[in-house]
């Protein structure tokens, strides 16, 4: 049986227990994570499960499929939109672009000045109009915001400024804004599936990728890209998503528990990831697995990307939100 057939079989089986008929057996909710128990995303989803059980106070079952058992985040989002196989999961906004053009704006490059600015934007709920659009177009609810990892560029050679990065073949996420932003900065962006990045660098197809510490550690990207250029070009926002089709079938008291737990689990995930970020890099550097390379041209890189971001925000109709984010002190 090949991988696609195996995955299809797993999804078919997983889909059997997503929802229980009213008044029959205990409701089962199925979640998905690309990562293992140690990853911040998985920890946030486990906390979500614990909080739902606490706030609901009635019997309910959860099945969390880890280690990409049900594929990748893009597929989880499609399953949630269809109301089958996956009821909840953490998904990068870039993977929502098929349904909502505005979605990838949530954590586009150079959107946030620093972690403090990022927290203030989330606390002010400035992204709510985008979440509303995603719920309307994809029928997937963003019930909390995890993330908090600062993204840098891991490379197979040391690069410390824009001149040395010129033409660098770097893997970016699938949303067009990522390719446009990196191209504006003089790099050569390439869209490659997340699980193929390691081999692509190893085989010389690309020179680099970009990720937060948790991903670099989990995927062992440091083995093929041991030089971490500290561009700090993005701070991740990873929404905890919940299928709208599933949500509508839940009893009202469980719906309330899901919404409350989602918000709190997101805040927990942000705290976990942002606090683990530098600790993971410290440990990897101490073990001789990677080297942090100070990046001299972050301000210049941002200046090159800013017009692209402004045009993108206007194009997708979120220029007001973009202005509000920039005005947040």
């Amino acid at each position: 049986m090949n991988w696609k057939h195996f995955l299809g079989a797993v999804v078919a089986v997983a889909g059997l227990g997503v929802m229980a008929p009213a008044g029959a057996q205990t409701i089962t909710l199925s979640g998905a994570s690309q990562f293992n128990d140690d990853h911040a995303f998985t920890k946030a989803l486990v906390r979500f499960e614990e909080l739902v059980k606490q706030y609901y106070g009635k019997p309910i079952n959860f099945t969390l499929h880890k280690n990409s058992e049900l594929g990748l985040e893009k597929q989880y989002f499609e399953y949630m939109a269809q109301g089958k196989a996956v009821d909840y999961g953490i998904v990068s906004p870039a993977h929502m672009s098929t349904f909502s053009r505005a979605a990838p704006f949530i954590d586009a490059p150079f959107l946030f000045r620093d972690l403090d600015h990022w927290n203030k934007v989330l606390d002010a709920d400035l992204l709510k109009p985008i979440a509303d659009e995603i719920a309307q177009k994809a029928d997937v609810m963003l019930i909390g915001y995890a993330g908090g990892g600062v993204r840098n560029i891991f490379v197979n050679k040391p690069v410390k400024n824009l001149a040395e990065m010129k033409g660098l073949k770097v893997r970016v996420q699938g949303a067009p804004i990522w390719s446009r932003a990196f191209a504006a900065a003089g790099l050569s962006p390439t869209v490659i599936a997340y699980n193929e990045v390691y081999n692509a660098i190893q085989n010389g197809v690309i020179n680099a990728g970009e990720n937060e510490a948790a991903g670099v550690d989990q995927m062992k990207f440091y083995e093929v890209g041991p030089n971490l250029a500290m561009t700090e070009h993005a701070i991740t926002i990873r929404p905890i998503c919940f299928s709208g089709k599933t949500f509508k079938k839940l009893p009202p008291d469980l719906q309330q528990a899901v919404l409350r737990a989602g918000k709190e689990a997101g805040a927990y995930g942000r705290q976990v990831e942002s606090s683990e970020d530098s600790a993971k890099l410290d440990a990897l550097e101490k073990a001789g697995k990677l080297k942090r390379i100070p990046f001299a041209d972050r301000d210049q890189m941002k200046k090159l990307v800013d017009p692209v971001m402004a045009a993108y925000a206007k194009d997708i109709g979120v220029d007001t939100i973009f202005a509000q984010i920039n005005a947040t002190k």
Side-chain angles (χ1 to χ4, degrees):
M1 181 183 283
N2 67 26
W3 165 245
K4 284 188 176 175
H5 289 148
F6 172 73
L7 181 59
V10 171
V11 169
V13 171
L16 296 176
V18 170
M19 285 299 304
Q25 71 221 62
T26 303
I27 290 170
T28 295
L29 296 175
S30 295
S33 171
Q34 288 184 176
F35 307 105
N36 65 15
D37 291 323
D38 295 331
H39 196 284
F41 295 178
T42 309
K43 290 177 181 178
L45 293 175
V46 169
R47 176 57 64 96
F48 171 68
E49 173 185 334
E50 292 167 352
L51 290 170
V52 171
K53 287 178 176 175
Q54 179 185 327
Y55 296 144
Y56 184 44
K58 299 175 187 176
I60 180 168
N61 297 324
F62 282 81
T63 305
L64 179 57
H65 300 273
K66 293 171 276 197
N67 296 308
S68 303
E69 187 183 321
L70 295 185
L72 302 175
E73 288 175 10
K74 184 176 174 63
Q75 290 159 305
Y76 307 161
F77 194 77
E78 289 166 357
Y79 295 149
M80 284 184 271
Q82 294 162 10
K84 69 176 189 183
V86 177
D87 301 305
Y88 66 96
I90 288 178
V91 176
S92 166
H95 300 314
M96 306 176 190
S97 59
T98 309
F99 296 88
S100 162
R101 290 181 72 212
F105 181 79
I106 288 175
D107 74 341
F110 294 106
L111 185 60
F112 305 108
R113 290 189 295 274
D114 51 34
L115 212 51
D116 181 56
H117 181 226
W118 172 85
N119 267 311
K120 284 176 179 172
V121 168
L122 287 177
D123 289 344
D125 208 14
L126 295 182
L127 301 172
K128 186 180 184 300
I130 299 175
D132 290 345
E133 180 187 298
I134 294 164
Q136 182 191 347
K137 293 189 174 175
D139 202 9
V140 175
M141 303 161 66
L142 309 190
I143 58 171
Y145 295 103
V150 178
R151 294 176 82 92
N152 297 290
I153 297 178
F154 53 91
V155 201
N156 59 6
K157 60 184 180 183
V159 286
K160 57 184 181 293
N161 53 44
L162 276 176
E164 292 180 359
M165 274 194 183
K166 189 169 177 61
L168 189 76
K169 291 181 182 174
V170 57
R171 180 267 179 183
V172 295
Q173 301 178 64
I177 184 57
W178 283 85
S179 291
R180 288 182 208 167
F182 277 78
L187 285 72
S188 179
T190 306
V191 176
I192 291 174
Y194 188 66
N195 58 347
E196 294 172 11
V197 175
Y198 186 105
N199 286 341
I201 297 177
Q202 193 174 42
N203 296 330
V205 176
I206 54 175
N207 311 111
E210 55 83 43
N211 215 311
E212 64 270 23
V216 172
D217 185 28
Q218 173 88 37
M219 303 298 287
K220 293 185 167 55
F221 289 143
Y222 53 80
E223 292 181 353
V224 289
N227 303 284
L228 195 68
M230 302 300 287
T231 50
E232 299 181 351
H233 56 270
I235 302 174
T236 62
I237 294 180
R238 292 294 176 265
I240 298 180
C241 302
F242 200 91
S243 168
K245 289 181 173 61
T246 298
F247 188 81
K248 293 178 188 77
K249 297 176 186 174
L250 303 179
D253 53 346
L254 181 50
Q255 289 180 340
Q256 291 307 308
V258 163
L259 294 177
R260 184 178 173 188
K263 191 171 184 180
E264 291 180 22
Y268 169 78
R270 299 205 304 270
Q271 183 268 322
V272 167
E273 184 162 349
S274 57
S275 62
E276 282 183 354
D277 211 54
S278 57
K280 280 187 184 293
L281 294 183
D282 287 344
L284 289 170
E285 194 160 36
K286 194 175 178 182
K289 292 178 177 177
L290 66 71
K291 184 174 183 185
R292 282 179 277 200
I293 313 288
F295 185 71
D297 294 336
R298 187 191 187 276
D299 290 346
Q300 177 62 20
M301 194 174 182
K302 183 180 187 305
K303 206 171 284 184
L304 292 168
V305 172
D306 278 347
V308 173
M309 281 292 291
Y312 168 66
K314 189 174 183 182
D315 182 41
I316 61 173
V318 297
D319 38 344
T320 302
I321 298 171
F322 188 42
Q324 290 172 334
I325 290 172
N326 285 336
T328 301
K329 302 297 181 192

